[in-house]
Amino acid sequence: MDGQSLPTSLQAAVEGFRRYLEGERARSAHTLRAYLADVESLLGFAVQEGISELGQLELGSLRRWLGAQSEAGMARATLARRAATARAFTGWALREELITTDPAIRLQAPKRDKSLPGVLQQQQVTRMVDDLNTAAGDGGPLAVRNRAMVELLYATGVRVGELAGLDIDDLDPDRRTLRVVGKGNKERTVPYGVPAALAVDDWLRRGRPALATPTSGPALFLGVRGKRVDPRQIRAVVNELLQALGDTSATGPHALRHSAATHLLDGGADLRAVQEILGHSSLATTQIYTHVSVDRLRRSYQQAHPRA
């Protein structure tokens, strides 16, 4: 059942929650869509149980909603997010006095699977960049753009949405830093190295002018029609490069973010400095990369030491 099929009072609650997320919480468009889809799923399930008013929502309905999705094979991470959305929604409804008690206050989500992120070896990154340099030397503006995007992704560890959202003025070429607006509209400054600086400069000199149109605006990276590059286009570029390597299971731009963080820590970077670079609000999120580094160290030891 979609949002338009909900009873009027429940649909009004969804719209109120939307305004709250857009205004006070300043959520990204992607997060907004996910939250609203979760709420509509919850309320659609509740309607099927005979609920027509928000005040009729009970903890049992919430648990059965999550249970039905778990039985359908939904991943633990998604179930955890949906439980968090439910708590955020009912908490908002309580503050708005749409309900008198919060039915989700005791709602427990399944623990997330603690899987380590896919990480490239440094020589794999080198091979990827070598291929990009060859393509950029012989190819057109898109090849020049792709090299600059990948160099910047790996150099800074920014998220794919953050890269797509960069404007030219966000770059400080003299200091080799860029200004990034991350989750929750939090701004941070991230350094990048000489290879990324050279690739971006090449893109600005001979790549971007070939694609820019009067409507391109200040966007740093452009698509083939001159509009701001879409995150999906970036994912497609990176996935194709990773598949071409042939010896990694890593996928997507997030693999470059994971790799940047792991390689920084392998090189002796301070954990809190890496946290600041990645834009993590919690140090615990950054600490997963220490586990990745230890894991790689253990594998190397077992392969190399005669008495491992």
Side-chain angles (χ1 to χ4, degrees):
M1 176 178 292
D2 60 34
Q4 300 301 319
S5 304
L6 296 172
T8 303
S9 63
L10 296 183
Q11 180 59 35
V14 173
E15 291 304 316
F17 189 55
R18 178 199 299 272
R19 291 192 294 271
Y20 163 70
L21 293 175
E22 289 176 333
E24 296 182 38
R25 298 299 297 274
R27 295 295 187 182
S28 69
H30 175 75
T31 301
L32 182 66
R33 285 194 298 270
Y35 273 34
L36 293 176
D38 292 346
V39 170
E40 289 175 352
S41 170
L42 166 62
L43 296 180
F45 182 87
V47 168
Q48 292 174 0
E49 289 201 331
I51 292 173
S52 58
E53 298 290 338
L54 205 56
Q56 298 173 312
L57 200 60
E58 296 178 346
L59 178 60
S61 294
L62 299 176
R63 286 173 171 168
R64 288 190 292 275
W65 170 62
L66 289 178
Q69 294 168 81
S70 178
E71 290 177 3
M74 186 167 286
R76 287 187 179 182
T78 304
L79 290 172
R81 188 204 71 214
R82 290 202 152 188
T85 300
R87 288 192 294 270
F89 175 65
T90 58
W92 164 82
L94 183 66
R95 291 191 298 274
E96 294 295 313
E97 299 182 348
L98 299 178
I99 55 178
T100 56
T101 58
D102 187 347
I105 198 166
R106 292 189 291 118
L107 183 65
Q108 297 294 321
K111 293 183 179 180
R112 291 176 182 264
D113 294 319
K114 291 186 178 180
S115 56
L116 296 178
V119 174
L120 296 172
Q121 298 175 3
Q122 294 183 33
Q123 53 266 41
Q124 289 174 318
V125 176
T126 300
R127 281 166 43 210
M128 182 189 300
V129 172
D130 286 345
D131 290 343
L132 285 165
N133 285 333
T134 300
D138 302 334
L142 290 181
V144 177
R145 181 204 66 183
N146 292 348
R147 176 179 60 179
M149 291 194 308
V150 170
E151 283 277 19
L152 213 52
L153 279 170
Y154 176 63
T156 63
V158 295
R159 302 175 179 92
V160 62
E162 294 170 345
L163 183 80
L166 288 176
D167 291 336
I168 295 174
D169 289 346
D170 290 327
L171 293 171
D172 185 341
D174 295 332
R175 296 182 179 179
R176 289 207 305 271
T177 61
L178 55 87
R179 183 176 64 248
V180 182
V181 178
K183 291 184 176 180
N185 279 340
K186 293 180 180 178
E187 187 176 298
R188 68 187 190 277
T189 300
V190 183
Y192 56 90
V194 173
L198 293 174
V200 171
D201 181 65
D202 192 30
W203 158 246
L204 290 175
R205 282 188 300 102
R206 68 185 182 98
R208 191 181 187 281
L211 296 178
T213 69
T215 61
S216 293
L220 175 58
F221 292 114
L222 305 176
V224 67
R225 292 185 174 86
K227 297 180 180 179
R228 182 182 297 275
V229 71
D230 187 274
R232 289 174 296 183
Q233 294 172 285
I234 302 174
R235 290 191 186 94
V237 168
V238 175
N239 277 329
E240 185 175 341
L241 289 167
L242 292 173
Q243 289 172 7
L245 287 176
D247 57 357
T248 178
S249 60
T251 59
H254 231 61
L256 295 177
R257 177 172 165 86
H258 297 326
S259 302
T262 303
H263 297 165
L264 280 168
L265 290 168
D266 284 346
D270 177 73
L271 187 63
R272 289 202 176 274
V274 176
Q275 176 192 7
E276 182 69 22
I277 289 171
L278 296 180
H280 287 157
S281 57
S282 169
L283 190 64
T285 308
T286 316
Q287 284 176 327
I288 188 173
Y289 298 107
T290 65
H291 301 320
V292 174
S293 296
V294 170
D295 228 31
R296 293 173 63 185
L297 179 63
R298 184 182 296 112
R299 286 198 299 270
S300 296
Y301 178 84
Q302 290 172 342
Q303 291 172 4
H305 199 286
R307 295 183 70 85

